[in-house]
Amino acid sequence: MPYQAEYIWIDGTQPSPIMRNKTRIVADGKEPDIWGFDGSSTNQAPGANSDCVLRPVYTVPDPIRGGDNILVLCEVELTDFTPHPTNTRAACVAAAEKYADQNPMFGIEQEYTFMQGGRPLGWPENGYPAPQGPYYCGVGGEKMVGREIVERHTQACLDAGLAIEGTNAEVMMAQWEFQIGVLNAPAIGDQMWMARWLLHRIAEDYDVTVSFDAKPMKGDWNGAGAHTNFSTKATMDGYDAIVVACEALGRNAQAHVAAYGAGIEERLTGAHETASYQEFSWGASDRGASVRIPWAVEKAKKGWLEDRRPNANMDPYLVSGMIIDTCCSALAEAGF
């Protein structure tokens, strides 16, 4: 019996790409093959030469349609089958393969905000809700909006076989978080993009949109990040390697900030549990640092680091590939 394959890809919208998808009916017994789309409608090609190629790279069961139906994440290629300029996965794969012997691994904490009618879900049409304080990991009543969407999304991720590690309400009303990991690259990007798509799709059923904006509400409200946890074989064996990695991130701080998502200067202000985007710091248990060393890591003298700078709207392929290049090259040079 034929089944439905939902082809999903990342487009060329700037400054933050968005996700696109379309359905293909696949004959029984056949695997999803390369397909195509009109790149002139996705900011990926001119109208006079608009064909782009979709190459399947990651497939999971479709937890929404069920049955034998699947979700198919794709890389975008040109018609000569080379990576499209908007394809950041290809470079991530190259970095991961180059330093595979170091076993770089990632866990990403994805924050996001539910929106409805141009305002965060549950906010009054005029004015503001109660100040931040009771929402983080909160429970009860009108203040915890969107939980039914979170519950459906979590189960969908589990049903799809994604490595979701948990969820929680965040500091601002209508802001939530899920965590994916621990995975190597490019798997961390594959699963993060798939989890994002599922969140968008499930929110549709509630007439709600999902914002990954770094600062969805101006003023005295928390921004939204994607704290990125990183380890290698060497960091899991000893603290000296963590120091080398942190120092390497510091030497390349501005290049990383420039690649960590649109609107980062609005979020990394030095307030609301962030370091300024203009400075770099690292330290144990310091949520005001650019890079935090968890207390358990500091105590054990081995483990991982948390780069707190990436925005919620960051590209996980770009971020994971860049961290690998920066940290693993420094570790290799230091003899790890």
Side-chain angles (χ1 to χ4, degrees):
M1 182 175 179
Y3 64 91
Q4 297 182 73
E6 195 69 24
Y7 279 61
I8 300 166
W9 72 98
I10 298 98
D11 82 351
T13 301
Q14 293 296 328
S16 297
I18 62 177
M19 305 193 76
R20 307 283 183 149
N21 54 274
K22 62 177 183 171
T23 306
R24 189 177 199 180
I25 308 304
V26 183
D28 185 28
K30 296 209 169 194
E31 296 295 319
D33 199 358
I34 61 170
W35 204 13
F37 68 96
D38 171 17
S40 68
S41 297
T42 64
N43 302 301
Q44 288 170 297
N49 185 22
S50 65
D51 287 328
C52 293
V53 175
L54 293 174
R55 181 175 297 279
V57 293
Y58 179 58
T59 301
V60 300
D62 186 339
I64 297 174
R65 291 186 173 122
D68 294 328
N69 303 302
I70 59 174
L71 304 178
V72 184
L73 186 68
C74 300
E75 280 193 28
V76 178
E77 296 179 341
L78 300 169
T79 52
D80 63 359
F81 302 128
T82 58
H84 190 277
T86 62
N87 178 348
T88 56
R89 187 180 188 274
C92 178
V93 170
E97 290 177 347
K98 181 177 181 180
Y99 295 105
D101 61 319
Q102 294 194 34
N103 195 33
M105 302 291 284
F106 294 88
I108 296 178
E109 306 167 28
Q110 176 69 71
E111 295 177 349
Y112 59 90
T113 308
F114 288 130
M115 306 289 288
Q116 192 172 59
R119 289 177 67 77
L121 183 66
W123 284 38
E125 290 187 14
N126 298 298
Y128 301 94
Q132 296 181 155
Y135 309 114
Y136 174 71
C137 295
V139 65
E142 297 178 346
K143 69 178 184 285
M144 304 312 301
V145 297
R147 192 184 296 277
E148 65 275 22
I149 307 174
V150 173
E151 293 291 336
R152 271 194 60 191
H153 175 251
T154 303
Q155 190 60 54
C157 288
L158 290 170
D159 292 343
L162 303 185
I164 187 167
E165 292 193 308
T167 68
N168 60 268
E170 267 301 333
V171 176
M172 187 179 79
M173 184 181 185
Q175 189 183 77
W176 294 78
E177 173 185 301
F178 65 88
Q179 303 95 36
I180 295 286
V182 175
L183 297 165
N184 61 16
I188 187 64
D190 294 342
Q191 293 207 18
M192 183 57 66
W193 279 115
M194 193 68 85
R196 286 174 171 177
W197 185 88
L198 283 168
L199 185 60
H200 281 302
R201 173 59 188 84
I202 290 167
E204 280 184 17
D205 294 342
Y206 297 86
D207 194 28
V208 168
T209 59
V210 179
S211 170
F212 293 106
D213 285 352
K215 189 74 172 178
M217 295 302 292
K218 312 301 182 191
D220 193 21
W221 306 96
N222 270 38
H227 301 157
T228 301
N229 297 275
F230 171 71
S231 70
T232 68
K233 183 179 182 299
T235 69
M236 296 301 289
D237 287 342
Y239 201 78
D240 288 346
I242 295 175
V243 173
V244 169
C246 288
E247 291 178 345
L249 289 169
R251 289 192 298 272
N252 295 275
Q254 291 310 306
H256 279 256
V257 164
Y260 276 8
I264 201 163
E265 68 282 352
E266 295 181 349
R267 175 176 154 263
L268 298 186
T269 62
H272 302 108
E273 300 179 82
T274 70
S276 169
Y277 71 96
Q278 297 177 310
E279 301 172 357
F280 179 85
S281 60
W282 67 276
S285 298
D286 186 357
R287 283 181 165 77
S290 308
V291 173
R292 181 178 74 96
I293 309 303
W295 70 269
V297 174
E298 172 76 5
K299 185 175 181 179
K301 298 301 179 186
K302 59 183 179 180
W304 67 96
L305 60 86
E306 178 193 54
D307 193 336
R308 297 179 58 81
R309 296 170 296 170
N311 280 346
N313 58 13
M314 64 84 146
D315 178 345
Y317 294 136
L318 184 59
V319 169
S320 59
M322 196 171 197
I323 290 176
I324 289 172
D325 275 332
T326 295
C327 295
C328 291
S329 61
L331 288 165
E333 186 177 342
F336 289 98

